Amino acid sequence: MHPPTVEDVARVAGVSRQTVSNVLNAPQRVRPETRERVEAAIAKLGYRPNRMAQSLQAATSRMIGYRIKPADPHGLSSIHDRLLHAMSEAGRAADHHMLLFTANDEDEVANVQALHRAGAIDGVVLYGIGIDDPRPPALRRLRIPFAAFGRTGVDSDHPWVDIDNAAGTAAAVEHLVELGHRRIAFVSGTVGAAVADRCAEGWRTALDKHGLLDGSHGLNLRGEDTIATGERFGDALLDHADPPTAVVGANDTLAIGVLRAARRRGARLAVVGFDDTPAAVAMDLSSVRQPIEAVGHAIIRALLNEGGPTGLLLNPELVVRASSALP
Amino acid sequence: MHPPTVEDVARVAGVSRQTVSNVLNAPQRVRPETRERVEAAIAKLGYRPNRMAQSLQAATSRMIGYRIKPADPHGLSSIHDRLLHAMSEAGRAADHHMLLFTANDEDEVANVQALHRAGAIDGVVLYGIGIDDPRPPALRRLRIPFAAFGRTGVDSDHPWVDIDNAAGTAAAVEHLVELGHRRIAFVSGTVGAAVADRCAEGWRTALDKHGLLDGSHGLNLRGEDTIATGERFGDALLDHADPPTAVVGANDTLAIGVLRAARRRGARLAVVGFDDTPAAVAMDLSSVRQPIEAVGHAIIRALLNEGGPTGLLLNPELVVRASSALP
DNA sequence: TTGTAGGCGTTATCAT
DNA sequence: ATGATAACGCCTACAA
């Protein structure tokens, strides 16, 4: 009834249990014929080492914590499922698994600490990192291993993997400039979100490169990350005295809002989003696609090989669709 | 450095370790003043029982397995993140956590068994249940606890929670009939998917109720769950000799495809989807919303209170948007 | 009410 | 090369 243990295997193979353990953990130390006998017994019994016992003795759970937040009711479903799958897949090679937990913003660190002290997780993956995010320093102080999707402000000295957001919006701007656009607006979410700031930076840099920065006053809008806000922004931009002919969004949610406003008014307005969510596909919205699978793998690698390189910047890729057409 | 153990707490509190254990597991058996001293020591040290040790001795991991599949590149991101969050939240009350694993369709059961024998999970949550899904009987035979989001064909005798898909499409049809539609088509995914079959049943029943079934020949289309297929279906329906004025989809992916075809052609065609994905919001697609949060909670409850009711059917709710307008 | 002993399944150390 | 012993941290008897 109960799953077989080393002892059972040993009995069946006619050896002691340590020999069984050796077969599993130091195969070279055991005579081939004995090994085969033990392996046969293992296969016959369908024996699997008990992970809890292993964890207990090794003081390692081979579990990685991930805080799963409730889906934003106003935003688009994001890329969590892709990220989670990638991380699970990456962890598999090292025999690690993802453990999900929930928490409020305020007590996320406390929850992580509790889980860590309880030996339930070896480390944690952070995301949604803000410019002055308190979590990295807090976890460092607590000596809890972690890796983050995203970096804090200036010099993030913790292990992180991030998308080069600036490069993403810059690529979007380049694309639009190439199509002949000269007035290109930018819409993004809350100030303080590192992501939004870096996206803005890419937009500004690319405009500047083409000498287009001067005419861009009043074309940088920031607000909540909702479709409704995006729609308001779209209206505002189109009502502008000298309206832009193109808009770059820091995410698909806002970009889709803008696109809806444009389509509703029958206005010609090129729009490029960010994230390449399924909704972008549905709406024919050009969007900057993040290599989330690569991010997931890199994060797990960074977390498991502690002390490796402290940061990794990955390049997103512009996916062109109908929403960015000739002006 | 290492997290504190019962022993440490005992030393600080000046009692034996079993007294500490008693404070935690049988508080009434220990004198209040002693208890307070122990509790103070626990708080001071930030002691947390080691879960691996607990699991080992209790032969219970308090972990629930969930197979995370790669995101379908052609479909819309589904509701996994909502479901995962709901289940994590529900598990929290019982001090359970979700453990993610990956697997191919063929060896999902083998992986679950391996995890279970290894004591890594106590049970597993299944989803994407087919009419003749082999997993429920297989897991039952292996005596591995599980609960499924969805049921098999006729009498599912395993613990399951499901959406009343038939009621969902029926509600969509009712809504359309009320708006005056008389020719209402139905598009769905692969045959064999229990979900699609039940959606079709609801559509047919509702049509029949209004005596609209006769004219519906050729208005039931089945294919792959992709936007492209939906678009082809939309074209096909609009090219029909006697085209429908409304379409109900078994999911948002197909429905959005249909909607795109209709909008591209400037055709008046009411469309209702299923799942209420973020893309539906973006597209103003009316859609049947599943109470995923309730599903998640119910599934965990079903899994943890083994032997409870074997099935629970939850009602979805139609969310009306612009895509279903007057004919 | 509190303390003592044993075992959960594994691996590492040390003999043989 | 293989076998005995101890330890990881916890809990549940049982004894005091």
XYZ file of all heavy atoms in Angstrom, chain D:
327
model
P 35.240 -1.442 -5.297
O 35.857 -1.567 -6.612
O 35.141 -0.092 -4.705
O 33.752 -1.998 -5.283
C 33.378 -3.215 -5.807
C 32.732 -4.037 -4.716
O 33.427 -3.815 -3.466
C 31.272 -3.682 -4.455
O 30.579 -4.876 -4.105
C 31.357 -2.723 -3.259
C 32.526 -3.296 -2.488
N 33.272 -2.268 -1.741
C 33.801 -1.106 -2.220
N 34.418 -0.387 -1.305
C 34.287 -1.136 -0.143
C 34.717 -0.937 1.177
N 35.410 0.151 1.564
N 34.412 -1.882 2.087
C 33.729 -2.963 1.684
N 33.270 -3.274 0.483
C 33.578 -2.308 -0.401
P 29.005 -4.891 -4.074
O 28.536 -6.247 -4.416
O 28.492 -3.735 -4.810
O 28.752 -4.667 -2.538
C 28.897 -5.778 -1.651
C 28.936 -5.303 -0.224
O 29.787 -4.145 -0.088
C 27.599 -4.852 0.357
O 27.097 -5.909 1.162
C 27.931 -3.607 1.163
C 29.457 -3.592 1.153
N 30.101 -2.262 1.271
C 30.574 -1.874 2.494
O 30.468 -2.560 3.511
N 31.174 -0.641 2.517
C 31.350 0.217 1.432
O 31.907 1.297 1.569
C 30.833 -0.249 0.177
C 30.973 0.567 -1.056
C 30.225 -1.463 0.146
P 25.633 -5.776 1.731
O 25.039 -7.121 1.798
O 24.927 -4.689 1.027
O 25.962 -5.304 3.209
C 26.734 -6.156 4.040
C 27.014 -5.466 5.357
O 27.833 -4.299 5.132
C 25.766 -4.980 6.093
O 25.867 -5.313 7.469
C 25.786 -3.477 5.897
C 27.278 -3.190 5.802
N 27.604 -2.006 5.017
C 27.255 -1.768 3.712
N 27.697 -0.631 3.256
C 28.374 -0.079 4.335
C 29.059 1.154 4.437
O 29.205 2.015 3.578
N 29.614 1.326 5.713
C 29.499 0.422 6.734
N 30.087 0.773 7.880
N 28.866 -0.731 6.652
C 28.328 -0.920 5.422
P 24.578 -5.218 8.359
O 24.453 -6.462 9.172
O 23.448 -4.778 7.527
O 25.017 -4.038 9.332
C 25.766 -4.345 10.500
C 26.309 -3.074 11.148
O 26.763 -2.179 10.122
C 25.291 -2.297 11.992
O 25.872 -1.982 13.252
C 25.021 -1.055 11.175
C 26.334 -0.870 10.408
N 26.156 -0.183 9.138
C 25.452 -0.635 8.049
N 25.481 0.179 7.020
C 26.251 1.244 7.463
C 26.664 2.443 6.851
N 26.338 2.766 5.601
N 27.432 3.294 7.576
C 27.766 2.952 8.830
N 27.443 1.854 9.521
C 26.682 1.042 8.768
P 24.958 -1.247 14.337
O 25.520 -1.568 15.658
O 23.534 -1.543 14.037
O 25.231 0.290 14.029
C 26.585 0.763 13.999
C 26.611 2.282 14.108
O 26.509 2.879 12.790
C 25.463 2.879 14.918
O 25.966 3.984 15.658
C 24.461 3.309 13.861
C 25.388 3.754 12.732
N 24.803 3.654 11.367
C 25.223 4.538 10.405
O 26.054 5.397 10.613
N 24.635 4.358 9.176
C 23.677 3.411 8.832
O 23.230 3.345 7.709
C 23.284 2.525 9.900
C 22.263 1.471 9.631
C 23.844 2.691 11.106
P 24.969 4.819 16.585
O 25.673 5.056 17.859
O 23.630 4.190 16.573
O 24.888 6.198 15.787
C 26.097 6.854 15.403
C 25.761 8.109 14.615
O 25.219 7.732 13.326
C 24.705 9.003 15.269
O 25.080 10.356 15.049
C 23.435 8.647 14.517
C 23.977 8.383 13.121
N 23.147 7.525 12.291
C 22.406 6.434 12.672
N 21.769 5.847 11.688
C 22.109 6.607 10.579
C 21.765 6.507 9.228
N 20.960 5.572 8.732
N 22.279 7.424 8.387
C 23.093 8.371 8.871
N 23.491 8.567 10.122
C 22.961 7.636 10.937
P 24.508 11.459 16.049
O 25.683 12.133 16.651
O 23.464 10.858 16.910
O 23.792 12.466 15.059
C 24.506 12.957 13.921
C 23.499 13.356 12.869
O 22.959 12.168 12.251
C 22.294 14.127 13.431
O 22.294 15.439 12.917
C 21.083 13.341 12.971
C 21.632 12.442 11.884
N 20.915 11.176 11.739
C 20.527 10.301 12.725
N 19.881 9.249 12.276
C 19.832 9.445 10.905
C 19.282 8.694 9.856
N 18.641 7.543 10.036
N 19.417 9.176 8.606
C 20.061 10.338 8.424
N 20.624 11.139 9.334
C 20.476 10.632 10.559
P 21.353 16.529 13.575
O 22.238 17.585 14.056
O 20.409 15.854 14.490
O 20.469 17.074 12.374
C 20.980 17.296 11.063
C 19.813 17.228 10.092
O 19.571 15.852 9.773
C 18.500 17.716 10.709
O 18.335 19.095 10.413
C 17.440 16.875 9.993
C 18.218 15.690 9.422
N 17.794 14.350 9.931
C 17.444 13.356 9.023
O 17.473 13.612 7.813
N 17.071 12.130 9.488
C 17.054 11.889 10.807
N 16.693 10.675 11.216
C 17.425 12.903 11.745
C 17.777 14.101 11.268
P 18.012 20.121 11.564
O 18.196 21.466 11.016
O 18.733 19.711 12.776
O 16.464 19.879 11.805
C 15.543 20.223 10.796
C 14.170 19.737 11.193
O 14.191 18.298 11.289
C 13.684 20.238 12.559
O 12.448 20.875 12.367
C 13.614 18.992 13.423
C 13.421 17.891 12.390
N 13.911 16.588 12.795
C 15.045 16.314 13.524
N 15.243 15.023 13.715
C 14.160 14.417 13.072
C 13.836 13.049 12.938
O 14.446 12.065 13.366
N 12.662 12.871 12.197
C 11.916 13.893 11.670
N 10.833 13.540 11.006
N 12.207 15.174 11.797
C 13.337 15.364 12.498
P 11.519 21.331 13.547
O 10.765 22.506 13.120
O 12.304 21.342 14.790
O 10.491 20.117 13.588
C 9.595 19.927 12.503
C 8.896 18.595 12.640
O 9.879 17.580 12.898
C 7.948 18.524 13.820
O 6.629 18.726 13.329
C 8.115 17.119 14.370
C 9.249 16.525 13.572
N 10.274 15.848 14.399
C 10.244 14.464 14.527
O 9.346 13.827 13.966
N 11.190 13.851 15.271
C 12.151 14.570 15.858
N 13.081 13.915 16.572
C 12.202 15.988 15.747
C 11.248 16.585 15.015
P 5.463 18.954 14.360
O 4.362 19.587 13.606
O 6.018 19.568 15.576
O 5.030 17.468 14.724
C 4.540 16.632 13.690
C 4.334 15.241 14.239
O 5.607 14.738 14.721
C 3.371 15.183 15.433
O 2.400 14.195 15.163
C 4.246 14.802 16.611
C 5.407 14.073 15.946
N 6.690 14.155 16.703
C 7.369 12.965 17.023
O 6.868 11.884 16.673
N 8.544 13.044 17.692
C 9.047 14.235 18.043
N 10.219 14.258 18.699
C 8.371 15.458 17.727
C 7.205 15.372 17.066
P 1.068 14.189 16.107
O -0.018 14.819 15.344
O 1.418 14.681 17.456
O 0.792 12.632 16.226
C 1.718 11.703 15.688
C 1.934 10.551 16.661
O 3.237 10.659 17.301
C 0.932 10.438 17.808
O 0.723 9.061 18.030
C 1.673 11.085 18.955
C 3.079 10.555 18.692
N 4.213 11.306 19.289
C 5.339 10.617 19.682
O 5.458 9.411 19.584
N 6.343 11.409 20.200
C 6.308 12.786 20.368
O 7.267 13.386 20.847
C 5.105 13.437 19.939
C 4.975 14.910 20.068
C 4.118 12.678 19.426
P -0.554 8.539 18.778
O -0.463 7.076 18.593
O -1.778 9.237 18.372
O -0.285 8.931 20.278
C -0.345 7.945 21.291
C 0.770 6.919 21.200
O 2.019 7.605 20.906
C 0.967 6.190 22.529
O 1.084 4.786 22.334
C 2.216 6.788 23.133
C 2.923 7.469 21.972
N 3.331 8.820 22.382
C 2.598 9.977 22.259
N 3.234 11.044 22.700
C 4.459 10.552 23.146
C 5.575 11.173 23.733
N 5.635 12.480 23.971
N 6.617 10.375 24.079
C 6.546 9.066 23.836
N 5.551 8.373 23.275
C 4.536 9.184 22.956
P 0.682 3.863 23.570
O 0.829 2.463 23.127
O -0.624 4.335 24.085
O 1.794 4.192 24.663
C 3.140 3.740 24.451
C 4.048 4.351 25.495
O 4.140 5.769 25.312
C 3.560 4.136 26.940
O 4.550 3.409 27.643
C 3.396 5.543 27.491
C 4.288 6.370 26.578
N 3.887 7.800 26.467
C 4.816 8.808 26.740
O 5.972 8.493 27.046
N 4.424 10.112 26.656
C 3.167 10.408 26.318
N 2.836 11.689 26.234
C 2.201 9.384 26.031
C 2.591 8.120 26.121
P 4.228 3.003 29.149
O 4.744 1.629 29.316
O 2.846 3.333 29.516
O 5.207 4.011 29.901
C 6.571 4.102 29.495
C 7.274 5.198 30.299
O 6.728 6.485 29.918
C 7.090 5.076 31.815
O 8.297 5.436 32.454
C 5.986 6.072 32.114
C 6.236 7.152 31.063
N 5.027 7.852 30.659
C 3.816 7.296 30.313
N 2.903 8.174 29.982
C 3.553 9.388 30.122
C 3.129 10.721 29.923
N 1.896 11.035 29.510
N 4.025 11.705 30.152
C 5.264 11.381 30.551
N 5.775 10.172 30.771
C 4.862 9.214 30.537
P 8.428 5.294 34.012
O 9.795 4.787 34.253
O 7.251 4.573 34.528
O 8.354 6.794 34.520
C 9.424 7.702 34.204
C 9.075 9.082 34.730
O 7.882 9.552 34.049
C 8.754 9.115 36.225
O 9.491 10.153 36.838
C 7.271 9.430 36.294
C 7.075 10.198 34.995
N 5.705 10.176 34.485
C 4.881 9.093 34.358
N 3.697 9.374 33.873
C 3.749 10.750 33.679
C 2.806 11.670 33.193
N 1.584 11.315 32.794
N 3.179 12.975 33.123
C 4.409 13.308 33.531
N 5.378 12.540 34.008
C 4.979 11.259 34.052
